[in-house]
Structure formats: structure tokens, C-alpha cells
Amino acid sequence: MTRHLKIARDSAVKSRSHAMITLKTLLINAPTQLRDSLDQGSGKITSVRHVAALRPGEMTSPTASAKAAMRAIARRWLSLHEEVQQLDQHLESLVRDRAPERMNAHGISTMTVADMLILVGDNPERIKSEAALAKLCGVCPIPASSGKTNRMRLNRGGNRQANAAARAPSHEHSEGLLRLSA
């Protein structure tokens, strides 16, 4: 369930970002009078709502077409923003039910715990120790010696999302993650 919601959320976040970039591009390229009237310096959501409420009227000028295009993109952004918020709520509920101790840890976000739950759900029988988890996440040391020097470096392989999640700041690092697999 976590994987399904996380995939939908990631897709919505990417689409929302693309919509904002497109909206800003349209604003920059809008006719000067329209651009000046929309440049109010208020918060992002307030500005997007203002643009979503534009009334383009008849398509007889570049200003009308710019308003229509910006209105459509702003409405898409608002819809995606609402979708992301709903998915965040569902994910937080799922993650809090499955790993409440990790959610209460300082510096650990819902998405970090969700990534780790997805990783553990894929391979619960493989994670029997901290070393196994470190290898799966790509944070285990590997030899990088040459000649007279003996040194180690971090493995760059493994699950990249889990690697980022495992590197998230926490005082109780992998012990809590191991409990996820139990």
C-alpha cells in the first residue's frame, strides 16, 4: 500500500513542479500589462489562486490567450497540490501505523520512513542484521586499498532511495530500521 501511494505522490509532485515552471514561463512571456498586474509579491499559493481566477474573455488578443493558458496551468497546479496533500495524509497514516517509533524520531520524515518500509517490504528475509541493511542501502564500507595503504570507502550501489533515507539525520540510526523488518 505504501509503495502505491508513494508512486502516486512522487508522480503528482513531479507534475506539480512542471506545472509551476510552465506557469512561471508563461508569466515571464506574458504581455507587459498582464505581467505587471500579476506581479504582486504575495505567497505562492495565493498567487496561483489569483491566476486560477483570471477571466480571459474572448480570444481576440495575446492578453486573453495568455490569461487562458495561465488559468489552465494554475488550476492544474492547485489540483495537483491538493492531490499531494491527500496522498501525504494517507502515507503518514500508513507509516505511523506500521512504524510509530521511527515517526517519532527527531529528523525523520514520513517519506524517509516510507522509503525504508518499501525497501524492507521487498526483502524482509534478507535483512537479518545491520550489515545486511547497510549493504542493501548501499552504505556499507568496501575495501579500496592499493599497495601499502589500507582504506575503505562507502559502497555506491544498492537502493538509491533507501540510501538517501538511511543517511537522513537520526540518533537511532539502523536499529529502528531493523525493527521494521521484524
Side-chain angles (χ1 to χ4, degrees):
M1 292 186 313
T2 303
R3 178 189 319 279
H4 297 145
L5 293 175
K6 182 92 169 59
I7 289 170
R9 182 196 183 275
D10 290 348
S11 174
V13 167
K14 186 175 181 179
S15 297
R16 182 181 65 178
S17 296
H18 188 264
M20 182 55 72
I21 291 167
T22 305
L23 185 58
K24 287 180 179 182
T25 302
L26 285 171
L27 179 62
I28 290 168
N29 294 309
T32 306
Q33 183 181 5
L34 177 60
R35 186 175 55 240
D36 291 343
S37 70
L38 293 174
D39 191 21
Q40 299 172 0
S42 60
K44 179 171 34 175
I45 292 180
T46 305
S47 296
V48 173
R49 286 193 176 119
H50 180 71
V51 172
L54 289 174
R55 302 174 89 183
E58 293 284 324
M59 291 295 150
T60 57
S61 68
T63 301
S65 63
K67 282 182 178 180
M70 291 169 60
R71 177 181 171 177
I73 301 293
R75 287 180 174 188
R76 181 179 313 149
W77 188 93
L78 288 170
S79 173
L80 288 165
H81 182 69
E82 183 180 323
E83 182 179 332
V84 168
Q85 288 181 325
Q86 288 174 354
L87 289 166
D88 282 346
Q89 290 172 356
H90 293 309
L91 274 167
E92 178 149 356
S93 175
L94 280 174
V95 169
R96 202 165 280 290
D97 287 346
R98 181 67 177 110
E101 71 284 345
R102 294 306 297 160
M103 288 295 293
N104 293 329
H106 177 70
I108 302 293
S109 74
T110 303
M111 295 309 129
T112 301
V113 178
D115 282 335
M116 295 312 296
L117 283 171
I118 290 168
L119 173 75
V120 171
D122 283 345
N123 305 293
E125 64 281 348
R126 288 179 57 189
I127 305 174
K128 295 182 179 164
S129 66
E130 281 190 48
L133 179 65
K135 183 158 179 86
L136 194 57
C137 293
V139 293
C140 65
I142 57 174
S145 303
S146 63
K148 296 179 185 178
T149 61
N150 288 326
R151 63 183 183 88
M152 304 294 268
R153 69 173 179 81
L154 280 182
N155 182 358
R156 297 292 175 215
N159 183 304
R160 303 313 299 157
Q161 286 80 20
N163 181 297
R167 291 172 180 245
S170 172
H171 299 291
E172 343 151 353
H173 200 58
S174 57
E175 296 92 27
L177 298 176
L178 286 174
R179 279 180 264 158
L180 293 175
S181 63

